[in-house]
Amino acid sequence: MKPSTRRRLFQGSLYLVLVIAIVALVFVADWKTIKFYFLDMDVAKQVWPDILVTAAKNTVVYTAIAFVGGLLLGLLLALMKLSPVAPYRWLSTAYIELFRGLPALLVIFGMAYAVPIAFSWHPPGGSAGAGLLALILVSGAYIAETIRAGIQAVPPGQREAARSLGMAPAWTMVSVVLPQAFRIITPPLTNELVILIKDTSLLFIAGMALGDRELTTFARDSLSQTANATPLIMAGLMYLIITLPLTQLVAKLERHQNRGR
Amino acid sequence: MNPRESVSATPAIEVRGLHKSFGDKEVLTGIDFHVDQGEVVCVIGPSGSGKSTLLRCVNRLEEPTEGTILVEGIDITDPETDLDKVRTRIGMVFQQFNLFPHLNVLDNLTLAQRRAKKRGKDEARRIAQGNLEKVGLGDRADAFPSQLSGGQQQRVAIARALSMDPDMMLFDEPTSALDPELVGDVLAVMRQLADEGMTMMVVTHEMGFAREVGDRVVFMDGGVVVEQGKPEDVLGNPQHERTQLFLSKVL
């Protein structure tokens, strides 16, 4: 058999497998049941517009708070990790390893239930506040590593140029190194943001008040009330509407950066 | 005593017994070196001879392992010395330009003036614009470094250093990263600076520049100063074998 024939046969069989799989899925699936449980328009009308104006809004607000908090904490940890003072480095490393090693779900649970008992202290903002604090603690650990990598990716000549002009280390960091570091890490930071959007779904474990519920908590509650999974589908769509533009943006930024090199 | 005289008697740069090691590799093995005020000293030598390391020790971008470095009589190896303040008096130009890519040309020139010299915005801009005119780039204040050629970037870097009103300038192979046709513009600016009486220490491979502009040429090899003197002597009639060998390769 000629190599070109063999290649064509191989490609043809790949397509064939795909077609068979799709056809099988369409015939085997129980479309009536799917439509009844997952695409019920009456249920959809019940949860609309609450799922948008309350749940989706809360998801976005929680993400924004956790991201800004995580950025500030991450910046602090990154600077500590690069500090000439050794104990700061150890502290930062220990923190980062701890919170990257623990499941976010467990940290949220601990902040909402264990911390109030152990320290007789309630994080501000009720369950939502406790959960958000936990998300900040966790995302800060990841963002710290991203920022540290960004700082180290700035060419050493930049720091040298600033220092040779007589600029103090702090000004050099603020005016020369950090602006370039953040430009370098915009794609990975946007990825952190996307992960954070989805991690707000873990807040359900904290037990949210009605008006505080984000998309997943809201959809789960609606699921138990209506015995119908349509709200889950709607919540999924909402997540995609929020995350897809961001992941597209990351792809665009990465293409742009690669072209610049 | 006339204070002016005492100032001019002090060398701009004086290096005594300088050693520098990276790990267990000794790059500088006992350097005694000076640059007088208003003097243009060109340092030449093969790569790995330690000439860039010597230059980078003068504003302590490299930490000397041993020895003393005096800049206008101030010991910069003394931990009590305000290094940032001394550095504002020493302009430095790098092989790779090292302009700040996130800032436009004008902001590149004003940043350190404002942060280190605490100059006001208007004053910093006026000084920056003046120095841009001087290097022939008065019309590129709004450009970003990425929009400039290598030669233009290096001239901006020179203008950036000049904007701090330094007493002396260090040049670390300023034309080595440039396309050959762009070298001339940068050398012309440096020649102009020398003519104005600027104290300059230039690490370079441009033998023509060293010959015509340098007051003194210093040949380094293996971490020591092998030979120094007037350019026509060192370049035209080298005494040491190593100098002869090096010059026979580059001239």
Side-chain angles (χ1 to χ4, degrees):
Chain A
M1 202 189 298
K2 280 196 295 186
S4 62
T5 319
R6 201 185 316 155
R7 204 158 46 231
R8 234 174 289 145
L9 263 175
F10 180 64
Q11 273 197 356
S13 53
L14 283 183
Y15 278 107
L16 193 65
V17 169
L18 188 65
V19 170
I20 291 173
I22 292 172
V23 169
L25 205 65
V26 168
F27 275 98
V28 169
D30 181 350
W31 287 106
K32 224 175 128 186
T33 312
I34 289 177
K35 190 162 182 299
F36 181 78
Y37 280 113
F38 294 94
L39 304 166
D40 189 324
M41 286 322 269
D42 289 334
V43 174
K45 274 180 200 138
Q46 262 181 46
V47 295
W48 187 270
D50 273 2
I51 196 166
L52 179 71
V53 297
T54 307
K57 186 209 79 182
N58 279 341
T59 290
V60 170
V61 169
Y62 294 162
T63 307
I65 294 173
F67 190 60
V68 172
L71 269 179
L72 292 175
L73 178 62
L75 180 60
L76 179 71
L77 287 166
L79 292 175
M80 282 171 68
K81 189 148 191 187
L82 298 170
S83 162
V85 183
Y88 281 140
R89 292 200 298 271
W90 302 333
L91 259 174
S92 172
T93 305
Y95 180 96
I96 290 168
E97 294 306 322
L98 179 68
F99 279 97
R100 286 201 308 177
L102 290 174
L105 194 65
L106 192 71
V107 180
I108 295 170
F109 193 77
M111 196 54 81
Y113 299 109
V115 167
I117 294 169
F119 300 99
S120 315
W121 175 73
H122 288 269
S127 300
L132 274 177
L133 187 56
L135 273 187
I136 290 173
L137 293 180
V138 172
S139 68
Y142 285 96
I143 291 175
E145 279 297 279
T146 307
I147 294 178
R148 180 195 55 76
I151 289 174
Q152 289 180 329
V154 175
Q158 290 293 313
R159 201 177 275 109
E160 288 179 356
R163 302 285 279 131
S164 79
L165 288 162
M167 281 171 63
W171 277 124
T172 300
M173 184 55 81
V174 170
S175 311
V176 174
V177 177
L178 284 182
Q180 296 184 59
F182 272 99
R183 203 177 275 197
I184 294 169
I185 60 173
T186 302
L189 268 189
T190 315
N191 270 330
E192 302 282 356
L193 180 62
V194 171
I195 292 170
L196 205 49
I197 291 168
K198 294 179 293 176
D199 277 358
T200 56
S201 66
L202 302 173
L203 290 171
F204 81 87
I205 198 79
M208 309 284 261
L210 275 187
D212 290 346
R213 292 177 300 178
E214 41 63 61
L215 274 171
T216 301
T217 316
F218 183 92
R220 270 174 46 115
D221 288 357
S222 304
L223 172 71
S224 13
Q225 281 162 16
T226 61
N228 188 292
T230 307
L232 285 184
I233 299 289
M234 292 172 74
L237 286 175
M238 296 273 176
Y239 278 115
L240 286 175
I241 289 171
I242 303 169
T243 54
L244 276 181
L246 286 169
T247 48
Q248 289 307 302
L249 179 70
V250 174
K252 201 176 154 194
L253 287 170
E254 278 173 349
R255 275 199 303 276
H256 185 75
Q257 279 197 350
N258 287 338
R259 213 177 27 234
R261 288 227 170 92
Chain B
M1 190 172 74
N2 184 343
R4 189 173 290 263
E5 253 170 34
S6 77
V7 165
S8 62
T10 314
I13 301 165
E14 189 171 6
V15 174
R16 291 185 206 141
L18 177 64
H19 289 255
K20 171 66 186 175
S21 304
F22 294 104
D24 48 7
K25 190 180 187 305
E26 196 164 40
V27 181
L28 299 178
T29 55
I31 299 266
D32 293 295
F33 172 86
H34 75 279
V35 178
D36 284 328
Q37 301 208 2
E39 195 183 21
V40 177
V41 175
C42 292
V43 184
I44 61 171
S47 55
S49 59
K51 53 194 192 304
S52 280
T53 306
L54 169 62
L55 181 116
R56 289 163 58 86
C57 281
V58 170
N59 66 355
R60 249 181 74 189
L61 281 185
E62 300 292 353
E63 207 64 49
T65 310
E66 198 189 316
T68 311
I69 299 166
L70 304 174
V71 172
E72 293 176 329
I74 299 168
D75 182 359
I76 63 158
T77 50
D78 182 348
E80 298 301 315
T81 302
D82 183 349
L83 200 56
D84 290 337
K85 203 171 173 191
V86 176
R87 278 174 171 159
T88 63
R89 307 219 300 263
I90 312 171
M92 173 140 183
V93 175
F94 299 84
Q95 183 177 350
Q96 299 294 340
F97 330 133
N98 294 349
L99 293 180
F100 306 132
H102 60 298
L103 300 177
N104 69 18
V105 165
L106 191 68
D107 292 340
N108 260 279
L109 269 62
T110 55
L111 180 65
Q113 290 191 63
R114 304 203 55 201
R115 298 280 186 258
K117 285 213 140 181
K118 308 290 174 205
R119 281 178 181 152
K121 196 172 180 179
D122 292 335
E123 188 192 8
R125 282 172 168 240
R126 189 168 42 74
I127 292 169
Q129 191 60 40
N131 282 310
L132 281 180
E133 310 279 351
K134 186 168 182 169
V135 300
L137 293 169
D139 55 341
R140 303 310 304 270
D142 296 328
F144 278 85
S146 59
Q147 297 166 323
L148 301 176
S149 74
Q152 290 173 327
Q153 289 189 51
Q154 193 59 301
R155 279 143 66 199
V156 171
I158 294 172
R160 179 175 68 178
L162 289 176
S163 295
M164 304 301 287
D165 294 328
D167 297 338
M168 66 197 75
M169 292 280 286
L170 309 177
F171 292 85
D172 188 5
E173 303 196 23
T175 58
S176 295
L178 296 178
D179 290 334
E181 75 269 22
L182 302 174
V183 169
D185 289 342
V186 173
L187 291 182
V189 169
M190 291 167 62
R191 186 184 296 256
Q192 183 193 341
L193 274 180
D195 290 344
E196 289 168 6
M198 175 63 80
T199 307
M200 292 164 63
M201 173 177 175
V202 186
V203 169
T204 186
H205 294 291
E206 294 290 333
M207 296 304 151
F209 180 85
R211 187 192 304 272
E212 292 162 30
V213 183
D215 295 314
R216 185 152 50 91
V217 169
V218 174
F219 173 72
M220 283 181 67
D221 194 11
V224 292
V225 172
V226 173
E227 184 169 355
Q228 57 176 314
K230 285 198 161 67
E232 56 267 32
D233 294 338
V234 176
L235 298 175
N237 183 24
Q239 299 302 306
H240 284 73
E241 200 180 327
R242 279 195 280 178
T243 320
Q244 291 162 2
L245 186 68
F246 172 72
L247 289 174
S248 70
K249 283 179 189 161
V250 299
L251 287 181

